[in-house]
Amino acid sequence: KNEDDVTKRAYGNGSLSNEVYSHSIKNLNKFNPSLKNLIDEEVLDVMHGYMKASPKLDSVLAWRNYGLPKEIAEQDIYANVWHQDSSMDFFDLKLFIVLNKIESRHGPFEFLDRANTTRVLRSSYRDRNDYNGLDFADYHPHQLTGNAGDLLLINTGRCMHRAGIVEEGLHRDIAQYIFRPGKHNFDHSTLDDLDARNYFNPNNILG
């Protein structure tokens, strides 16, 4: 893999300084082009119905998260704290694809439905760094567990979510496709054309 495609996320304090707990890979479609076959007409129809517009591919990313030692497991290492994405994401959809078998011990992606997200936002919750005593177990979180190829479509700008905490000695692999409302029909060839050097360049997405 080109080093420009790989990002390492390390913990930077104390005795665990520079330990890497997450790798992310841009343009996963270059390394595993068969993933695009999972984005079939049924998935596109669901996105179209939600957006009231044709979905526009923005970016493709994958993560491998590793187990966290107990002394840092409550800190925000790889978005493993409960949060909601920015208002810019209100109309986006994220398609998560399971890349290896994921059970609870692998730290699956976790999320709340819209109703329970609203309950949290109307409660004592302050932000991702201060739950103010809130116990998210009371809000019935869902987990993205399953086998390679299983999918989840979610609006992370409207639903609270987090990366689950992986048990030590294990890892979790997941891919993310971000779609935004567009004007033209989706073209699978776009999945092959994203360039890591211009990863967030608007010219790389369907207009």
Side-chain angles (χ1 to χ4, degrees):
K1 299 178 182 65
N2 187 320
E3 285 298 317
D4 290 339
D5 290 332
V6 180
T7 300
K8 299 178 181 178
R9 187 169 298 169
Y11 182 75
N13 296 309
S15 62
L16 298 171
S17 179
N18 298 320
E19 291 289 331
V20 175
Y21 295 112
S22 182
H23 285 93
S24 61
I25 302 175
K26 302 174 186 176
N27 294 323
L28 181 69
N29 47 294
K30 292 196 308 185
F31 311 119
N32 192 345
S34 64
L35 282 177
K36 68 182 182 182
N37 297 326
L38 296 172
I39 306 174
D40 57 19
E41 291 300 321
E42 181 180 0
V43 174
L44 294 173
D45 285 346
V46 170
M47 288 193 285
H48 189 281
Y50 180 85
M51 294 177 173
K52 309 303 180 189
S54 295
K56 174 176 65 174
L57 180 66
D58 179 73
S59 58
V60 184
L61 189 65
W63 292 274
R64 169 167 286 185
N65 289 349
Y66 299 95
L68 293 180
K70 291 181 180 179
E71 56 263 47
I72 62 171
E74 300 303 316
Q75 299 183 41
D76 190 357
I77 307 299
Y78 41 58
N80 50 290
V81 294
W82 285 100
H83 65 283
Q84 192 173 9
D85 291 345
S86 72
S87 58
M88 292 289 290
D89 301 314
F90 276 1
F91 299 101
D92 294 355
L93 282 173
K94 291 183 180 179
L95 176 66
F96 290 103
I97 302 177
V98 174
L99 298 181
N100 57 1
K101 184 177 177 64
I102 296 177
E103 300 174 345
S104 293
R105 61 198 181 107
H106 296 108
F109 177 83
E110 298 184 273
F111 61 98
L112 304 184
D113 60 28
R114 187 73 185 108
N116 280 299
T117 294
T118 300
R119 288 179 60 208
V120 168
L121 296 177
R122 291 176 176 173
S123 71
S124 59
Y125 174 87
R126 290 174 179 165
D127 58 42
R128 65 190 295 152
N129 299 310
D130 186 359
Y131 296 172
N132 197 24
L134 209 64
D135 184 353
F136 274 82
D138 295 335
Y139 294 87
H140 313 292
H142 302 276
Q143 294 185 334
L144 177 54
T145 56
N147 298 309
D150 288 344
L151 309 176
L152 170 70
L153 267 174
I154 184 172
N155 183 327
T156 56
R158 295 180 181 270
C159 294
M160 301 286 292
H161 58 283
R162 72 167 187 162
I165 298 171
V166 184
E167 291 185 10
E168 289 191 79
L170 301 176
H171 69 267
R172 184 209 71 181
D173 296 338
I174 196 168
Q176 172 190 276
Y177 286 67
I178 298 179
F179 292 90
R180 293 179 173 162
K183 297 178 181 179
H184 305 300
N185 291 331
F186 180 75
D187 181 355
H188 274 86
S189 66
T190 308
L191 297 174
D192 301 320
D193 292 340
L194 289 173
D195 184 347
R197 291 169 298 175
N198 298 299
Y199 193 57
F200 294 108
N201 187 330
N203 293 328
N204 280 345
I205 62 180
L206 290 173

